Amino acid sequence: MKTSLPLRSWRCARLILHFLLGLLEVGLLFPLRSSKAREVAIQHWSRRLCTILAIQIQTHGAAPTHRPHNTLLVANHVSWLDIFVLNSVFPARFVAKAEVRHWPLIGWLCAQTGTLFITRERRHDTRRVNKQIAHALQDGDCIAVFPEGGTSDGMSTRAFNASLLQPAVESHAHIQAVAISYYDQLGVRSLAAAYIDDMSLWTSLARLLAEPKLEARLDYFPRLAAATSSRRELAMQAEQWIAARVALDAPNTAQADAGQPAPETTARHPDAAH
């Protein structure tokens, strides 16, 4: 069952107002606020976004009780929504594809709240961003990366790129792995949040607005001391943990309930995903 057209319109209006208020807050108030006050504002704004979209967030495992310092957050990647779901628990600086910088409203908000943008197909750009990540970690920051290099449908994971974990090794930081899964109102794994194939941002928003309710489940795993392992070992451990959790209750096919084969989905190319 999908939401009614009037409810979708109401949600859409609230969403537009929420983004406009976010633009005003970031543009007018952020320059006057301390870094701590900005973090609180980002967390509250992200939580409000999830509320408007009827997304409930459930945390499990070793979720930090506060924003961890000198930590690289490593997660699987399902949607642009992942950023705001994770920020609802505690704010982090994200590494996103360069294309996001040019998205209406969202791109400017991401830029103003500390997002690092990367052109993944350019190797020298990865080195540039890794230096920025290393400096930020050394300053005690919390940085979030999606080492798959693109989004999936959320029912499985792609191979992790270990290169983005190198700054954590160099900075003697910690690795915090977290698995992201989405469920519908019946508690069944959902594809509604998946940002895959050639889907536009507007199509993705329309799908989310049509959902009566979604649950975003975040499973946090024990922190790893990056200095004690190589980046490949760290990436392998994080990938194993996350992949096992993501596959735990995923259906064999996306339309298992209907008894029909699932349509094929293609993960977005690294240069078209966060």
Side-chain angles (χ1 to χ4, degrees), residues 70-246:
N70 193 27
T71 298
L72 189 69
L73 193 68
V74 176
N76 61 305
H77 202 12
V78 183
S79 171
W80 59 270
L81 187 64
D82 299 342
I83 291 177
F84 304 106
V85 167
L86 291 169
N87 270 344
S88 295
V89 180
F90 57 82
R93 294 182 65 186
F94 285 80
V95 177
K97 61 176 183 176
E99 179 187 324
V100 174
R101 179 65 182 86
H102 304 290
W103 283 4
L105 301 182
I106 291 179
W108 190 82
L109 283 172
C110 288
Q112 298 303 310
T113 52
T115 298
L116 302 174
F117 297 101
I118 180 174
T119 304
R120 292 182 185 270
E121 66 271 19
R122 299 178 182 175
R123 185 170 299 179
H124 73 276
D125 204 48
T126 300
R127 291 196 294 267
R128 175 188 63 82
V129 172
N130 275 355
K131 288 182 180 179
Q132 292 182 335
I133 295 174
H135 289 318
L137 290 173
Q138 290 165 5
D139 290 338
D141 231 330
C142 178
I143 307 293
V145 298
F146 300 112
E148 289 172 290
T151 52
S152 71
D153 62 5
M155 303 301 169
S156 61
T157 60
R158 304 171 65 191
F160 280 18
N161 180 357
S163 64
L164 285 176
L165 276 65
Q166 183 60 32
V169 176
E170 297 174 356
S171 305
H172 299 279
H174 285 85
I175 301 291
Q176 176 87 63
V178 56
I180 304 174
S181 306
Y182 292 93
Y183 296 78
D184 65 18
Q185 61 179 343
L186 300 178
V188 178
R189 291 288 289 277
S190 174
L191 294 171
Y195 187 56
I196 49 179
D197 301 322
D198 295 321
M199 183 182 294
S200 68
L201 178 60
W202 306 116
T203 301
S204 176
L205 280 172
R207 290 181 64 179
L208 291 170
L209 291 170
E211 286 296 312
K213 174 184 173 183
L214 282 177
E215 176 187 309
R217 172 173 174 142
L218 302 177
D219 285 89
Y220 290 86
F221 298 93
R223 293 210 305 167
L224 301 171
T228 62
S229 305
S230 70
R231 70 184 189 186
R232 294 187 183 279
E233 291 171 333
L234 293 167
M236 184 179 298
Q237 179 63 80
E239 181 179 354
Q240 288 176 347
W241 279 341
I242 293 173
R245 177 60 193 89
V246 167

